[in-house]
């Protein structure tokens, strides 16, 4: 994988090159935009000018769930046995080790590790109650 300023370039063994990824605040709309595509292709071309001859085989857009405060939501929920690990937005892969530790701790020990306490879902309830 190569970081090209505004895009990641990921070569595949079959010769394809995956170029990604943008962040656009568009709700649940997964339409690929011309601006997003242009930004990615421009960044990729600046790093590897030879890509201009490659065909564009496919494009897609996905969703990156985020929370109201842009921090992940970790730990037990109000539903017995349901452990939350969501809201990572674009930092999911970076936060994976800490998330696994928090979820595993909750499942195996029955309690959320102390370092993950600020990321409980009930923080939103506490904030709302404190504001009243």
């Amino acid at each position: 994988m190569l970081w090209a300023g505004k895009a990641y370039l990921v070569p595949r063994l079959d010769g394809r090159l995956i170029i990604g990824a943008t962040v656009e605040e568009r709700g649940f709309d997964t339409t690929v935009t011309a601006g997003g595509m242009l930004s990615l292709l421009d960044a990729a071309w600046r790093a590897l000018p030879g890509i201009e001859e490659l065909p564009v085989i496919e494009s897609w857009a996905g969703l990156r769930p985020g929370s109201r405060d842009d921090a992940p939501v970790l730990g037990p929920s109000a539903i017995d046995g349901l452990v939350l690990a969501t809201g990572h937005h674009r930092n999911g892969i970076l936060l994976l080790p800490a998330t696994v530790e928090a979820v595993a701790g909750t499942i195996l020990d029955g309690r959320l590790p102390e370092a993950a306490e600020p990321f409980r879902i009930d923080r939103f309830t506490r904030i709302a109650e404190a504001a009243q």
Side-chain angles (χ1 to χ4, degrees):
M1 179 167 41
L2 169 70
W3 171 242
K6 291 185 178 182
Y8 287 100
L9 309 177
V10 183
R12 295 293 191 214
L13 293 176
D14 64 3
R16 292 178 303 143
L17 179 66
I18 309 293
I19 303 170
T22 62
V23 176
E24 298 177 271
E25 297 293 333
R26 299 172 48 85
F28 291 96
D29 183 354
T30 57
T31 305
V32 175
T33 65
M37 180 82 74
L38 176 63
S39 177
L40 292 174
L41 289 172
D42 180 63
W45 177 79
R46 289 176 187 280
L48 299 170
I51 69 163
E52 65 188 27
E53 298 299 322
L54 296 177
V56 175
I57 297 171
E58 167 182 28
S59 65
W60 76 92
L63 302 174
R64 297 177 182 177
S67 67
R68 285 183 273 170
D69 63 359
D70 289 324
V73 177
L74 303 172
S77 70
I79 299 171
D80 189 40
L82 177 63
V83 178
L84 302 173
T86 189
H88 294 76
H89 197 237
R90 64 178 164 204
N91 296 314
I93 195 73
L94 300 172
L95 296 174
L96 180 64
T99 298
V100 168
E101 186 177 316
V103 170
T106 303
I107 293 169
L108 297 174
D109 301 333
R111 63 187 211 3
L112 189 65
E114 186 178 341
E117 282 291 330
F119 304 104
R120 296 173 60 101
I121 188 71
D122 62 0
R123 72 181 184 265
F124 298 114
T125 307
R126 292 190 312 260
I127 292 169
E129 290 170 353
Q132 293 179 358

